[in-house]
Amino acid sequence: MKPKTLVVIGGTLLTAGCFWGLLFAPAEVFMGDVYRIFYIHVPTAWNGLLLLTAAFICAVMYLMKGDLMWDDRLEASMEAGVVLSALLTVQGSIWARPTWGVWWNWDPRLTTTAILVFAFAGILALRTSLKEPRRRAMVTSVATIVAAADVPLVYFSVRFWNSLHQIQSSPETVSAAFVWPLRVNAIAVLLLMAGLISIRAETVARLREAGSEPPPLPSAQVEGAR
Amino acid sequence: MSSNDGRKRVALALGACAFAGTLLYFVVGGIGNNLVYYWGPTEVLAAGPKAQGASIRLGGLVEKGSIVKGEGSNMSFTVTDGKKSFPVRCTSVPPQMFREGIGVVVEVTVAGDGVFESHRLMVSHGNEYRAPDDPASVDLKKLMDSTDGIRSPDKE
């Protein structure tokens, strides 16, 4: 399937899932409407961790195969993963204030997630300072493999340690009326991200082949034409 | 690309994986046992005098029938883990979800009279999300004021 088709299907499903979850699904018995953020928070969490796991796999593949294509894919999935995990902490915070009573607390789940965001954002920043593609790919891959140790920690933090954040829900703990809009959104974000990262990986590859320089800004082009 | 390069990369991959694995092992196994977000009542009791005067997080369930509302936002309740329980005094306005039987994490110091003085009261939400039997029966206005008296159909 073409990446653009994935983006369109994902976007459509996400819109449908949000309408379903926000307007048609019933309110929760204790939380009322506050619970509705989970229709976006849970898909964000799943896909964020999935994207960063994908970045880890790309890092291992680059080191094993030496094909820079894997580095392009790594950059694309890591960028998307960082955006999703940053959004995740913001959404969680918005839900936490009315539910827990605080915006933030250094509970194991929240702490490991904060580390996740900063570690991977740091790797993206590090990349911009390395101009030679092979050296950049090598350094990024090693840093990614080390940072990826935090991904299972985020997922299992609520089971390893006492935490304020609840453990994972399952269809047994979530009413049937809530399960499907959640699944639709999870699949929607997955398709959307799959499409977006394939497009982005291609762009990254072209930038690399063009000498790692971003395309000139419109104003610079005007100046060059003078 | 020489095969030398390839060997170097594979060695780096193995090294990085080994390093990440070791890191995980220590965090989960070694340091993990000393990372404690909150203590339950039994653990506080086991800590004995160490808990006196220190700021700790106490976690557990709000014991049924233990919530006593005082003047203004003064309130007291009991935190239990089913085996041991501790009285907690609180002056802040509790989160909207606060009710009997729900999980709480309270940042406390032990006062002179053995009562836990709360500095911050947090309500922890379980992993259950329940739809009401009859969606029309959930009065959102009432829910915003208080969560008292609304029962989960699945639990009754």
Side-chain angles (χ1 to χ4, degrees):
Chain A
M1 210 183 286
K2 277 186 184 167
K4 274 186 187 163
T5 320
L6 287 173
V7 173
V8 171
I9 297 175
T12 314
L13 276 180
L14 187 61
T15 315
C18 286
F19 265 97
W20 190 355
L22 295 181
L23 299 177
F24 299 108
E28 210 263 348
V29 279
F30 291 114
M31 280 189 281
D33 282 330
V34 170
Y35 95 98
R36 291 183 197 275
I37 202 163
F38 103 144
Y39 291 119
I40 199 66
H41 185 66
V42 177
T44 304
W46 287 345
N47 287 291
L49 291 182
L50 202 61
L51 284 163
L52 294 173
T53 308
F56 165 76
I57 293 169
C58 292
V60 173
M61 288 308 284
Y62 172 73
L63 290 178
M64 302 305 270
K65 304 280 178 204
D67 189 340
L68 281 171
M69 170 189 82
W70 289 107
D71 186 60
D72 305 333
R73 292 176 177 172
L74 179 147
E75 179 165 328
S77 30
M78 197 185 292
E79 281 172 346
V82 167
V83 169
L84 285 197
S85 18
L87 282 174
L88 181 70
T89 56
V90 174
Q91 296 158 357
S93 202
I94 292 170
W95 176 81
R97 184 61 186 87
T99 313
W100 294 345
V102 291
W103 294 102
W104 184 265
N105 205 261
W106 293 101
D107 123 301
R109 174 51 83 70
L110 276 57
T111 308
T112 48
T113 309
I115 293 170
L116 193 77
V117 177
F118 288 116
F120 283 100
I123 294 175
L124 287 178
L126 176 69
R127 281 178 71 81
T128 62
S129 68
L130 299 165
K131 296 293 175 220
E132 208 282 297
R134 292 222 163 258
R135 191 173 149 67
R136 181 174 57 213
M138 185 106 77
V139 171
T140 310
S141 298
V142 172
T144 302
I145 291 172
V146 174
D150 193 35
V151 174
L153 277 186
V154 169
Y155 188 80
F156 291 108
S157 55
V158 287
R159 295 190 182 265
F160 286 156
W161 298 294
N162 286 341
S163 63
L164 183 58
H165 193 289
Q166 64 266 42
I167 60 164
Q168 290 86 0
S169 293
S170 70
E172 283 81 56
T173 65
V174 176
S175 277
F178 304 158
V179 171
W180 274 104
L182 179 65
R183 281 185 182 154
V184 168
N185 268 358
I187 295 165
V189 177
L190 182 68
L191 296 179
L192 193 61
M193 288 301 141
L196 288 177
I197 65 172
S198 345
I199 294 170
R200 178 61 183 158
E202 202 137 302
T203 312
V204 173
R206 285 195 194 144
L207 284 175
R208 171 169 56 76
E209 280 153 14
S212 307
E213 289 300 318
L217 294 170
S219 62
Q221 277 174 336
V222 172
E223 248 172 70
R226 251 177 229 159
Chain B
M1 201 191 319
S2 69
S3 67
N4 222 357
D5 257 8
R7 265 205 293 275
K8 189 183 160 197
R9 277 194 286 69
V10 173
L12 269 176
L14 293 176
C17 284
F19 182 75
T22 316
L23 207 67
L24 256 183
Y25 175 77
F26 277 117
V27 172
V28 174
I31 313 167
N33 295 334
N34 294 316
L35 286 178
V36 178
Y37 176 64
Y38 65 73
W39 274 346
T42 305
E43 288 154 317
V44 174
L45 208 71
K50 270 197 291 181
Q52 285 284 338
S55 268
I56 55 165
R57 290 197 195 93
L58 173 69
L61 299 176
V62 177
E63 201 159 21
K64 287 232 152 69
S66 73
I67 301 176
V68 180
K69 284 178 179 148
E71 296 258 310
S73 62
N74 285 326
M75 180 182 68
S76 68
F77 57 94
T78 314
V79 172
T80 179
D81 61 0
K83 286 172 267 176
K84 292 281 162 206
S85 51
F86 281 111
V88 173
R89 202 159 40 213
C90 178
T91 51
S92 60
V93 177
Q96 187 185 310
M97 298 283 293
F98 183 80
R99 61 178 184 270
E100 284 181 355
I102 200 167
V104 285
V105 175
V106 212
E107 294 182 358
V108 290
T109 45
V110 186
D113 55 358
V115 176
F116 287 69
E117 202 82 56
S118 153
H119 308 297
R120 178 177 289 155
L121 170 58
M122 294 174 286
V123 166
S124 72
H125 189 271
N127 65 344
E128 297 200 347
Y129 296 82
R130 295 291 171 214
D133 279 343
D134 171 19
S137 74
V138 176
D139 182 352
L140 288 178
K141 264 268 162 50
K142 201 171 138 205
L143 204 59
M144 276 182 233
D145 293 338
S146 156
T147 52
D148 289 349
I150 299 166
R151 291 198 171 83
S152 166
D154 300 18
K155 277 185 179 169
E156 292 301 303

